[in-house]
């Protein structure tokens, strides 16, 4: 099946720093989704990308759909303590997927005040 | 806004008990999903349903069953709970596969089996 490799696995940063994480796929995707999960809560959709090369922002978050369609990037600018959480990338599971997604393993973000 | 609700945020059960986890969505989504989440293992799909009374096994269906009698409701059943089913359970819903694959998640149920 399709696999997503997400990196880094974890990040420890100071408040105010910028953050970058990425996801690569073993096959071509037509959709990339980025989620954030805060401690004890369910994942929340941050950004959805549908076109190769697309660059989309949501406040301090910016995500890009890679030109090769096999990767995607998420950047957070000027991090704040409430950015803490796990960030997941996701894409269609492929085949007769009925809308199934395959998820990356997540990037655990810790922000020190 | 899409709303997915789960019947309990925290649940403690004993080994051998039958456990019901309920999920309700209010966006008329065709698809509904049950995942479990464990540290280091990410999100793993247990079962999903693409229509009323329709269900498909996910990656880890053993020890679980599901029921979808109404479009808005998807239940996960642990027939005889075991300690290795202690986990965070997440429900999600989405429109049927098309261009928009966005899944919307509930807040999760943290189940502890003693």
């Amino acid at each position: 099946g399709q696999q997503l490799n997400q990196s880094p696995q974890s990040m420890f940063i100071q408040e105010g720093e910028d953050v970058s994480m990425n996801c690569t796929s073993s096959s071509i995707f037509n959709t990339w989704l980025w989620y954030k999960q805060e401690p004890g809560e369910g994942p929340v959709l941050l950004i959805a990308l549908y076109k190769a090369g697309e660059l989309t922002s949501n406040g301090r978050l910016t995500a890009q759909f890679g030109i090769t369609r096999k990767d995607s990037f998420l950047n957070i600018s000027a991090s704040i303590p409430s950015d803490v959480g796990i960030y997941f990338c996701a894409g269609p599971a492929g085949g007769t997927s009925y809308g199934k997604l395959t998820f990356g393993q997540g990037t655990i973000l810790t922000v020190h005040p | 806004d899409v709303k997915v609700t789960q019947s309990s945020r925290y649940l403690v059960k004993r080994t051998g008990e039958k456990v019901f986890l309920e999920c309700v969505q209010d966006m008329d989504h065709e698809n509904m999903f049950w995942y479990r989440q464990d540290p280091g293992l990410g999100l793993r799909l247990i079962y999903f349903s693409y229509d009323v009374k329709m269900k498909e096994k996910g990656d880890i269906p053993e020890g679980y069953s599901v029921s979808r009698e109404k479009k808005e409701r998807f239940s996960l059943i642990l027939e005889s709970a075991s300690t290795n089913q202690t986990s965070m359970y997440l429900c999600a819903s989405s429109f049927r596969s098309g261009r928009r694959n966005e899944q919307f998640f509930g807040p999760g149920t943290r189940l502890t089996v003693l």
Side-chain angles (χ1 to χ4, degrees):
Chain A
Q2 303 205 20
Q3 294 184 358
L4 288 185
N5 293 312
Q6 186 172 349
S7 65
Q9 288 187 326
S10 61
M11 302 183 75
F12 298 84
I13 62 169
Q14 291 292 129
E15 184 176 0
E17 288 184 20
D18 296 342
V19 172
S20 291
M21 59 190 79
N22 68 82
C23 223
T24 57
S25 168
S26 57
S27 56
I28 289 173
F29 277 4
N30 58 18
T31 302
W32 281 100
L33 305 173
W34 285 93
Y35 289 86
K36 178 189 177 186
Q37 184 179 25
E38 297 187 0
E41 300 293 331
V44 173
L45 182 64
L46 297 173
I47 293 177
L49 302 162
Y50 295 101
K51 190 175 175 182
E54 181 181 356
L55 189 72
T56 297
S57 293
N58 178 2
R60 292 177 296 104
L61 277 63
T62 302
Q64 184 163 23
F65 194 140
I67 291 292
T68 65
R69 296 172 63 192
K70 289 188 174 183
D71 55 9
S72 181
F73 308 88
L74 178 70
N75 296 313
I76 306 172
S77 62
S79 59
I80 59 178
S82 63
D83 289 333
V84 162
I86 307 175
Y87 291 79
F88 292 99
C89 59
T96 309
S97 66
Y98 292 110
K100 285 194 295 184
L101 295 175
T102 186
F103 290 86
Q105 290 297 306
T107 295
I108 301 171
L109 179 63
T110 304
V111 180
H112 295 287
Chain B
D1 280 353
V2 175
K3 192 159 186 185
V4 180
T5 57
Q6 295 185 226
S7 50
S8 305
R9 294 299 303 271
Y10 300 93
L11 211 50
V12 180
K13 295 292 181 181
R14 296 207 174 274
T15 300
E17 280 193 77
K18 191 168 186 175
V19 181
F20 293 87
L21 302 182
E22 303 282 337
C23 176
V24 177
Q25 51 92 6
D26 66 357
M27 279 302 292
D28 203 33
H29 284 163
E30 293 87 4
N31 297 335
M32 296 188 76
F33 307 83
W34 275 107
Y35 296 89
R36 65 177 282 176
Q37 184 179 28
D38 302 287
L41 297 177
L43 288 161
R44 294 183 292 167
L45 182 64
I46 304 171
Y47 265 99
F48 70 101
S49 169
Y50 52 91
D51 204 345
V52 174
K53 298 190 186 296
M54 305 305 290
K55 59 185 179 184
E56 293 283 339
K57 293 179 180 179
D59 301 319
I60 51 163
E62 297 78 19
Y64 304 93
S65 62
V66 290
S67 172
R68 189 148 180 220
E69 297 297 317
K70 293 185 178 181
K71 189 175 186 179
E72 67 271 18
R73 188 179 297 270
F74 192 33
S75 302
L76 180 69
I77 303 151
L78 286 66
E79 294 289 341
S80 177
S82 62
T83 55
N84 63 12
Q85 292 178 309
T86 292
S87 186
M88 173 72 143
Y89 289 87
L90 292 162
C91 175
S93 70
S94 73
F95 288 112
R96 185 163 291 159
S97 180
R99 189 164 187 254
R100 305 189 77 82
N101 296 99
E102 299 149 5
Q103 288 184 18
F104 297 89
F105 286 83
T109 295
R110 184 161 293 283
L111 172 67
T112 301
V113 182
L114 302 175

